[in-house]
Amino acid sequence: MFRLQGSKVLAVDMTGDAVKAKNGSMVAYDGQMAFKKLSGGGEGVRGMVTRRITGEQMTVMEVRGQGTCWFADRASEINLVSLQGDKLYVESSNLLATDGGLRTGTSFTGMRGASQGNGLFTTTVEGHGQAAIMSDGPAVVLRVSPQFPLSVDPGAYVAHQGNLRQSFQSGVTFRTFMGEGGGEAFQIRFEGDGLVYVQPSERNTVAGDV
């Protein structure tokens, strides 16, 4: 159902089913399509409460019909993630589209979200199907194993999946070595078994500095 045309355009072939995508990301379609605006940032009461607490305005649209839709967002690189009943954690600004059958929600991320100004929660996607996530530049997928934990700059973090534990290390940040650090900084540390997606360009936030 999901396929890439180049690295920056997602094509979704539909036969009466639905896809959920970032509002305004559709660039073309053929066939017969129906569109509906959805509230983003998670489904149900918890999603509503989360959006009120964090102020996140993740607007999502549902597209249903027969034909093909093409999606893109600010020439971002697109990566396809297949879910087999597992859960994907992804920053809301990096989520482009999901199969209509996948469930979206929210997960408390603690200090990292607060320090970035992105709220205290991150978006979760779970079930069986495909999701399309975006990155500023080609994403790198890094394996985490019990023998090899991984530390990530919070501004470069995009998403992760698998059986991973997430913690925050204060003190030295990657920027400190370049003389750009200010205040107390931290890294995100992942331990366990899974995958972490990082981008080669940091978000325009305060990144690792608190």
Side-chain angles (χ1 to χ4, degrees):
M1 182 173 161
F2 282 23
R3 55 188 172 87
L4 293 180
Q5 292 197 203
S7 62
K8 300 180 180 181
V9 178
L10 170 69
V12 182
D13 301 312
M14 290 186 284
T15 56
D17 40 4
V19 62
K20 290 181 285 188
K22 184 176 182 179
N23 196 45
S25 63
M26 189 177 64
V27 294
Y29 74 91
D30 62 22
Q32 299 294 321
M33 299 292 168
F35 308 93
K36 181 170 66 174
K37 184 177 180 181
L38 304 174
S39 60
E43 298 167 349
V45 174
R46 183 179 179 188
M48 294 172 61
V49 172
T50 300
R51 289 192 300 277
R52 180 168 295 181
I53 291 173
T54 64
E56 289 183 350
Q57 296 297 321
M58 178 186 169
T59 308
V60 179
M61 63 179 176
E62 181 185 79
V63 184
R64 182 183 299 273
Q66 302 268 353
T68 302
C69 281
W70 288 269
F71 301 92
D73 185 49
R74 295 173 294 179
S76 297
E77 299 281 338
I78 301 171
N79 307 269
L80 298 184
V81 180
S82 294
L83 297 176
Q84 304 297 327
D86 50 330
K87 183 181 292 186
L88 173 72
Y89 297 82
V90 57
E91 294 296 321
S92 60
S93 59
N94 293 97
L95 182 61
L96 177 63
T98 66
D99 280 349
L102 289 174
R103 301 181 301 279
T104 58
T106 52
S107 177
F108 181 71
T109 60
M111 197 172 183
R112 173 176 58 83
S115 69
Q116 286 187 319
N118 289 345
L120 296 175
F121 295 81
T122 196
T123 299
T124 59
V125 182
E126 61 183 316
H128 290 81
Q130 285 185 296
I133 61 176
M134 300 179 293
S135 58
D136 186 2
V140 177
V141 185
L142 302 175
R143 164 69 66 177
V144 180
S145 67
Q147 297 81 15
F148 296 99
L150 179 71
S151 295
V152 176
D153 187 307
Y157 168 80
V158 173
H160 73 272
Q161 65 184 131
N163 185 22
L164 293 176
R165 299 181 303 279
Q166 188 178 356
S167 60
F168 307 97
Q169 295 178 316
S170 61
V172 176
T173 184
F174 296 97
R175 288 187 172 194
T176 303
F177 297 109
M178 302 298 294
E180 298 176 0
E184 185 178 3
F186 67 96
Q187 305 165 4
I188 312 171
R189 182 179 173 87
F190 294 95
E191 297 176 274
D193 187 14
L195 301 174
V196 178
Y197 299 78
V198 298
Q199 61 186 9
S201 175
E202 291 191 349
R203 293 179 192 83
N204 186 24
T205 68
V206 294
D209 295 333
V210 178

